[in-house]
Amino acid sequence: MFILLATLLLLIPGRAPAFAEARYEEAAVRAAMLLNFPKFIAWPGTQAAPGKVCVVSAPPVLEALVTLQSTAEAAGRRLTLTAQEGIGEDCTYVYLGASHRTALTGLPPGCLVIREGRGERTGNGISAIELVRRGERVVIRVDYQRLLDDGFAVDARLLQLAEVFAGA
C-alpha cells in the first residue's frame, strides 16, 4: 500500500477529494499519474491532448486506469483519454511495466514511453519518464533533455515535482 503523495494532489483535477489522505495501492497511484501526465506535457506538433495510453506488461495498472475512468465518468467528468492493453498504432503514450523486457516495435511517431523501474533507454529515440518505487512513494523521474530532443514540452510544475535525470 502506498500513501498518496501530496504532490499527486496537484495532478488531480479540481479540489483535493476528502479521501486524499487514504492509502492507495501502487497501481492506482501509477494510473492516476498516467491519467494526468497529458496536462503537463505537450506532444510534438499538436495542440490536442493525447487520446490513448497503451499499457504493456502491467495488468494491475491497466485495471486501475479503467476503474479511474469509470469513477470519473460516473461523477460526471468526461475524460478524453482511453486505455488499452498492448501497443497499437494509435497509442499516444505507452506505459511499460517492470516485467517488459522485449524491444519496442510498432510505436507511432511522437509516442511517449513511460516506464516502471529504473528507466533504461529504449534505444529507439523514444522519450522517457520513469515511475520508480521508493519505500511507500512512487517517484517521477524525467529525462528532460531527451524529452526536449524528441520535441516534447514539459510544464515546469511537473519538473518541480520530478527528479530530472540524464539517460544513458
Side-chain angles (χ1 to χ4, degrees):
M1 299 280 292
F2 285 82
I3 297 173
L4 183 61
L5 304 171
T7 55
L8 182 59
L9 293 176
L10 296 173
L11 301 176
I12 297 175
R15 65 182 181 84
F19 55 84
E21 299 294 323
R23 292 170 104 34
Y24 290 87
E25 293 292 328
E26 179 177 358
V29 172
R30 290 175 186 272
M33 290 177 174
L34 290 172
L35 281 175
N36 286 287
F37 277 135
K39 296 175 185 173
F40 301 96
I41 298 172
W43 267 247
T46 183
Q47 297 291 329
K52 186 168 285 186
V53 58
C54 297
V55 179
V56 179
S57 301
V61 173
L62 179 62
E63 182 180 324
L65 274 168
V66 171
T67 300
L68 285 173
Q69 287 175 309
S70 298
T71 302
E73 289 171 5
R77 292 189 313 247
R78 177 148 170 18
L79 300 177
T80 58
L81 184 71
T82 59
Q84 78 174 38
E85 184 174 8
I87 296 174
E89 61 186 45
D90 57 348
C91 298
T92 48
Y93 63 111
V94 174
Y95 179 76
L96 300 176
S99 64
H100 181 78
R101 298 284 183 244
T102 60
L104 292 176
T105 58
L107 291 176
C111 185
L112 174 65
V113 176
I114 300 170
R115 302 179 69 93
E116 177 179 343
R118 298 297 301 165
E120 316 80 56
R121 291 182 78 119
T122 61
N124 58 7
I126 306 296
S127 300
I129 294 176
E130 304 170 356
L131 301 181
V132 180
R133 179 180 177 175
R134 294 219 181 108
E136 289 194 0
R137 303 174 80 186
V138 175
V139 177
I140 303 166
R141 297 185 70 225
V142 175
D143 185 340
Y144 182 61
Q145 188 59 52
R146 188 169 184 188
L147 287 167
L148 292 179
D149 290 347
D150 289 341
F152 291 90
V154 183
D155 189 299
R157 294 173 294 171
L158 179 59
L159 293 174
Q160 289 173 338
L161 297 176
E163 292 178 2
V164 178
F165 73 100

